[in-house]
Amino acid sequence: MADYAARREAMVDTQVRPADVTRLPIIEAMLAVPREAFVPARLSEAAYIGENLPLAHDRVLLDPRTFAKMLEAADLGPGDLVLDLGAGLGYSAAVMARMADAVVALEEDGTMAREAETTLAELGVDNVAIEVGPLTEGAPKHGPYDVIVVEGAIETLPQAIADQLKEGGRVVAVFMEGALGVVRIGWKVEGALSWRFLFNASAPVMPGFARATEFQF
């Protein structure tokens, strides 16, 4: 039988800590949440490898290093309301729920959303609300949010999402620029987002988040 607790510890020691992730709540959450419970059954043995894991077409569970560094930058606190955009099978929501006041986990794939809800309930996570709907529209009825974390790559952030961020709030996402990807954090200041580069990473661009093609005549 796989010793998943040992694998979690190895993940943190070899992928998270060496990536300059120092905030204790992140370390504790990633040691506590059973990542293997939030991946397709066929991938449970690969749950702790340092790669994105496929969940569906152009949808992945971000690799532990990328996710942890995004959380380090987002600096979640116990009073924060978080929008987990593209929650997949619920891993990211379960981790952030241990650091924030509440998490709204938005997923447009109904099957994944139901699985996420079941797993979170089985693990006793009671401060996550699962919402099913288009990712590009966000979850405005629960907002505005202190933090938005995008669980996949984008080329552009829809204005509808930006509008759901509180003044002074922050959003973290992987931006793909051709074959290259970077993670940026955006702070909302006087109603507009001010972006800053964080680190390099890559992931598939989520459906609906590609930049519109410009035709030239």
Side-chain angles (χ1 to χ4, degrees), residues 1-171:
M1 186 178 223
D3 186 347
Y4 287 118
R7 294 186 188 186
R8 276 195 294 283
E9 188 170 345
M11 173 190 72
V12 168
D13 288 343
T14 63
Q15 300 178 53
V16 176
R17 294 184 194 273
D20 295 324
V21 175
T22 60
R23 297 183 190 277
L24 189 58
I26 300 173
I27 301 296
E28 290 178 338
M30 295 188 77
L31 283 172
V33 176
R35 190 174 165 93
E36 72 279 3
F38 295 96
V39 301
R42 70 183 188 282
L43 296 177
S44 59
E45 286 295 311
Y48 294 96
I49 65 173
E51 299 176 9
N52 297 331
L53 293 181
L55 299 177
H57 177 63
D58 287 338
R59 299 291 307 283
V60 297
L61 174 63
L62 292 172
D63 72 89
R65 170 190 173 274
T66 297
F67 179 57
K69 287 176 72 66
M70 291 171 72
L71 294 184
E72 180 87 2
D75 190 18
L76 273 62
D80 284 335
L81 174 62
V82 181
L83 175 60
D84 189 27
L85 189 66
L89 293 172
Y91 173 75
S92 50
V95 171
M96 292 189 290
R98 300 181 71 91
M99 294 178 274
D101 180 43
V103 178
V104 176
L106 179 64
E107 179 50 57
E108 64 184 18
D109 183 308
T111 299
M112 286 203 291
R114 286 189 294 273
E115 289 186 31
E117 195 163 40
T118 297
T119 305
L120 291 166
E122 289 174 348
L123 293 174
V125 181
D126 60 5
N127 61 334
V128 173
I130 299 290
E131 288 290 320
V132 180
L135 300 185
T136 54
E137 296 180 10
K141 71 178 182 180
H142 295 290
Y145 301 95
D146 299 286
V147 182
I148 298 175
V149 180
V150 183
E151 304 295 340
I154 63 177
E155 291 181 345
T156 184
L157 185 75
Q159 188 61 43
I161 304 299
D163 289 345
Q164 293 169 39
L165 193 64
K166 285 182 182 177
E167 180 69 19
R170 55 267 188 217
V171 53

Side-chain angles (χ1 to χ4, degrees), residues 211-217:
R211 188 176 289 107
T213 302
E214 295 181 0
F215 294 96
Q216 294 182 348
F217 296 95

